[in-house]
Amino acid sequence: MGRQLWGGERTDLDAYLQRVGFTGALEPTARTLRELHRAHVTAVPFENLEIVLGRPVPLDLESLQAKLVRQRRGGYCFEHTLLFAAVLERLGFAVTGLGARVRMGSGEKRRAATHALLRVDVEGRPWLADVGFGGEGLIEPVPLEEGAEVCQGGWTFTVAAEAQGVRVLRSLHPDGWFDLHAFTEDARYPEDYEVMNHYISTHPRSPFTTRPMAQRTEDDVRRSLVGSVMVTSRPDGSHRRREIADGELPDVLEEFFGIELGADDRAALRRVRA
């Protein structure tokens, strides 16, 4: 076998499956894709702590496996997406990298493409897999088809079409559809993600460089930490807001987001927040 694009041949599959708690069938089917996507999203949190601590964010597969799998940490979109792509490739799925422009309700205002996600072709059908978007994101993949509405737990999603091949992933809020991000089906490669990752992890105006973030989504609850505020959201639109004191941050990250931190990292985060 020749070198695979996403490094699937170097994936520690057993360790990954144990990390996400997946015990299902491993054949490259739509069912496996849905179940594995759900397992990843609900087990591996979204977080930007390395960036806030002034550390680089390496995207080579060994670094990703060391952090997200063996250290039981989380990461942001590039880390999640590259690890998931390698796992899918190892299992025999056809995977294409994509890039998206985050909207988060901003309408069609153009922003740089700074989000990584995947197209996965299986059983003659294309799917949108997006394990690294965070608290508003998918639990399972959705069909890459215009207008299909998919309910996942208490959350509903659709893919809408715009001009020039642009597609928009939307979630249903109590007051209507909410744009999450816009993307095209132009293929992106690990080298493209390296460039995006450098910009978003180092630019002073990047939202990821100035404050800690953590997010986790389940069927009936979303938790999002931004700076010193944690918001717990429910599908009915209700929210509960909680202010996090500086000394609480490491314990909150572990208790509510499943982020396991060593003593040095806990102390460093307290210094960042001081």
Side-chain angles (χ1 to χ4, degrees), residues 30-52:
R31 178 177 178 177
T32 298
L33 175 63
R34 290 194 301 270
E35 293 179 352
L36 194 62
H37 193 291
R38 171 180 285 272
H40 183 114
V41 167
T42 56
V44 187
F46 180 102
E47 49 112 325
N48 72 329
L49 302 181
E50 296 300 286
I51 300 172
V52 171

Side-chain angles (χ1 to χ4, degrees), residues 92-124:
F93 287 93
V95 180
T96 303
L98 303 177
R101 303 177 190 274
V102 175
R103 288 188 176 177
M104 290 303 291
S106 65
E108 296 185 29
K109 178 181 178 181
R110 187 182 300 276
R111 295 173 173 171
T114 56
H115 178 59
L117 63 165
L118 302 170
R119 169 178 168 150
V120 183
D121 289 276
V122 57
E123 297 178 350

Side-chain angles (χ1 to χ4, degrees), residues 154-155 171-178 222 234-239:
W155 319 103
S171 65
L172 186 60
H173 286 199
D175 58 352
W177 289 105
F178 181 87
R222 288 172 171 157
R234 300 285 179 179
D236 62 4
S238 63
H239 300 275

Side-chain angles (χ1 to χ4, degrees), residues 224-269:
S224 176
L225 173 74
V226 179
S228 62
V229 178
M230 185 174 77
V231 177
T232 302
S233 305
R234 300 285 179 179
D236 62 4
S238 63
H239 300 275
R240 187 174 74 250
R241 176 187 172 100
R242 173 182 167 186
E243 290 283 343
I244 305 300
D246 289 354
E248 287 187 282
L249 180 59
D251 292 335
V252 167
L253 290 170
E254 184 167 347
E255 178 180 356
F256 293 100
F257 300 93
I259 298 172
E260 299 184 8
L261 299 166
D264 290 346
D265 286 344
R266 292 172 70 91
L269 280 175

Side-chain angles (χ1 to χ4, degrees), residues 84-258:
F84 196 60
V87 170
L88 293 180
E89 187 177 62
R90 170 71 182 270
L91 294 177
F93 287 93
V95 180
T96 303
L98 303 177
R101 303 177 190 274
V102 175
R103 288 188 176 177
M104 290 303 291
S106 65
E108 296 185 29
K109 178 181 178 181
R110 187 182 300 276
R111 295 173 173 171
T114 56
H115 178 59
L117 63 165
L118 302 170
R119 169 178 168 150
V120 183
D121 289 276
V122 57
E123 297 178 350
R125 193 181 193 187
W127 295 80
L128 185 70
D130 191 358
V131 293
F133 194 68
E136 284 266 3
L138 300 174
I139 297 177
E140 296 181 358
V142 295
L144 195 46
E145 300 165 358
E146 180 183 352
E149 293 186 16
V150 179
C151 184
Q152 301 175 359
W155 319 103
T156 301
F157 301 91
T158 191
V159 175
E162 293 182 348
Q164 299 179 323
V166 174
R167 298 192 179 191
V168 183
L169 179 64
R170 293 173 172 164
S171 65
L172 186 60
H173 286 199
D175 58 352
W177 289 105
F178 181 87
D179 289 3
L180 297 176
H181 57 64
F183 61 95
T184 68
E185 293 193 57
D186 296 334
R188 307 291 178 123
Y189 301 94
E191 296 82 0
D192 298 315
Y193 294 153
E194 287 280 0
V195 175
M196 295 180 191
N197 174 56
H198 175 73
Y199 170 82
I200 207 68
S201 66
T202 62
H203 197 281
R205 289 199 297 272
S206 166
F208 295 103
T209 60
T210 59
R211 54 193 176 177
M213 296 183 184
Q215 298 173 349
R216 196 163 187 178
T217 297
E218 299 175 32
D219 279 343
D220 60 351
V221 63
R222 288 172 171 157
R223 292 185 176 88
S224 176
L225 173 74
V226 179
S228 62
V229 178
M230 185 174 77
V231 177
T232 302
S233 305
R234 300 285 179 179
D236 62 4
S238 63
H239 300 275
R240 187 174 74 250
R241 176 187 172 100
R242 173 182 167 186
E243 290 283 343
I244 305 300
D246 289 354
E248 287 187 282
L249 180 59
D251 292 335
V252 167
L253 290 170
E254 184 167 347
E255 178 180 356
F256 293 100
F257 300 93

Side-chain angles (χ1 to χ4, degrees), residues 60-71:
D60 63 281
L61 183 58
E62 179 51 39
S63 294
L64 297 177
Q65 293 184 119
K67 181 186 176 191
L68 277 67
V69 177
R70 293 192 288 275
Q71 295 177 25

